[in-house]
């Protein structure tokens, strides 16, 4: 019974490159959430997606960040033209639906921007 | 917007000591409250949750939390900690579909 899978676990990018983070939800889960944990800070919500739909992107930076959850395949968080301030741990969570359902978290992707 | 605050950033205890981690939330309506734990190098795991009903909630690994509406609090407790409880603990509430986390409390248990 696989949990939430994220890859890669560690990602190193130089400033200006693109970062793609992948999240495969638990089996039977159609809701995906992305959170970011900056150094010395708690987790901050970024975006909530259902299959092919963005439900809430109120926590996403306005520029360079995008997310998708296609009908087939994993959810992708994409960061274009990365900067040092993007260095953080990015966690994905999934749930069966949004209300009264537990969110199960993946192991995270640690992004380091040089 | 809702918010969650955790009073202690770092707590150090000896094994067998009792634990209480503070958590306060801002919203006065119906709340969903959670405690998650993150062991070193691992992902977040749910310890316990409160939606309604009995305000004393039992979780895994001997943890419990008490919802006190008048104090806007949801403190986490454990009568006797073990070295293996060393981890970071996050209190959270839900707003719509998203979780709003506190800053986290790092617990170090000395053997």
């Amino acid at each position: 019974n696989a949990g939430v899978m994220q890859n890669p676990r560690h990602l190193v990018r130089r400033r200006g490159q693109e970062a793609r983070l992948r999240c495969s939800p638990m089996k039977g889960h159609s809701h995906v959430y992305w959170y970011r944990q900056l150094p010395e800070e708690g987790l901050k919500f970024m975006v909530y997606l259902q299959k092919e739909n963005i439900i809430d992107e109120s926590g996403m930076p306005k520029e360079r960040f995008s997310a998708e959850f296609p009908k087939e395949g994993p959810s992708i968080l994409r960061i274009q033209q990365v900067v040092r301030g993007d260095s953080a741990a990015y966690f994905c969570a999934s749930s069966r639906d949004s209300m009264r359902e537990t969110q199960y978290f993946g192991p995270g992707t640690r992004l380091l921007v040089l | 917007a809702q918010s969650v605050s955790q009073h202690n950033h770092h707590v150090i205890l000896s094994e067998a000591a009792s634990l209480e981690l503070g958590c306060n939330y801002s919203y006065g309506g119906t709340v969903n409250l959670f405690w998650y734990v993150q062991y070193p190098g691992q992902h977040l795991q749910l310890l316990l949750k409160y939606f309604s009903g009995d305000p004393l909630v039992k979780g895994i690994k001997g943890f419990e939390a008490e919802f006190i509406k008048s104090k806007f609090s949801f403190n986490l407790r454990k009568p006797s900690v073990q070295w293996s409880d060393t981890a970071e603990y996050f209190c959270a509430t839900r707003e719509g579909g998203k979780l709003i986390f506190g800053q986290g409390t790092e617990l170090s248990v000395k053997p």
Side-chain angles (χ1 to χ4, degrees), chain A residues 11 13-19 21 36-39 46 61 63-65 77-90 109-114:
Chain A
L11 182 62
R13 285 288 178 265
R14 296 192 182 279
R15 281 179 296 167
Q17 291 184 318
E18 179 179 285
L21 287 61
R36 177 166 67 172
Q37 186 177 27
L38 291 165
M46 298 182 75
E63 295 176 349
R64 303 186 296 107
F65 285 72
L77 179 68
R78 183 180 176 208
I79 312 172
Q80 295 178 289
Q81 300 175 329
V82 295
V83 300
R84 288 215 173 104
D86 297 332
S87 295
Y90 292 82
T109 294
R110 270 80 180 165
L111 172 65
L112 175 63
V113 180
L114 300 176

Side-chain angles (χ1 to χ4, degrees), chain A residues 44-56:
Chain A
K44 303 287 187 194
F45 168 79
M46 298 182 75
V47 63
Y48 161 33
L49 310 104
Q50 278 182 274
K51 286 284 187 181
E52 300 184 279
N53 287 307
I54 296 175
I55 307 301
D56 181 351

Side-chain angles (χ1 to χ4, degrees), chain A residues 33 35 100-103 106, chain B residues 36 43 49 94 97-99:
Chain A
Y33 314 79
Y35 295 84
R100 301 187 71 82
E101 284 287 339
T102 298
Q103 293 184 20
Chain B
Y36 281 86
H43 58 278
K49 60 186 177 184
R94 178 154 52 196
K98 65 190 180 191
L99 293 175

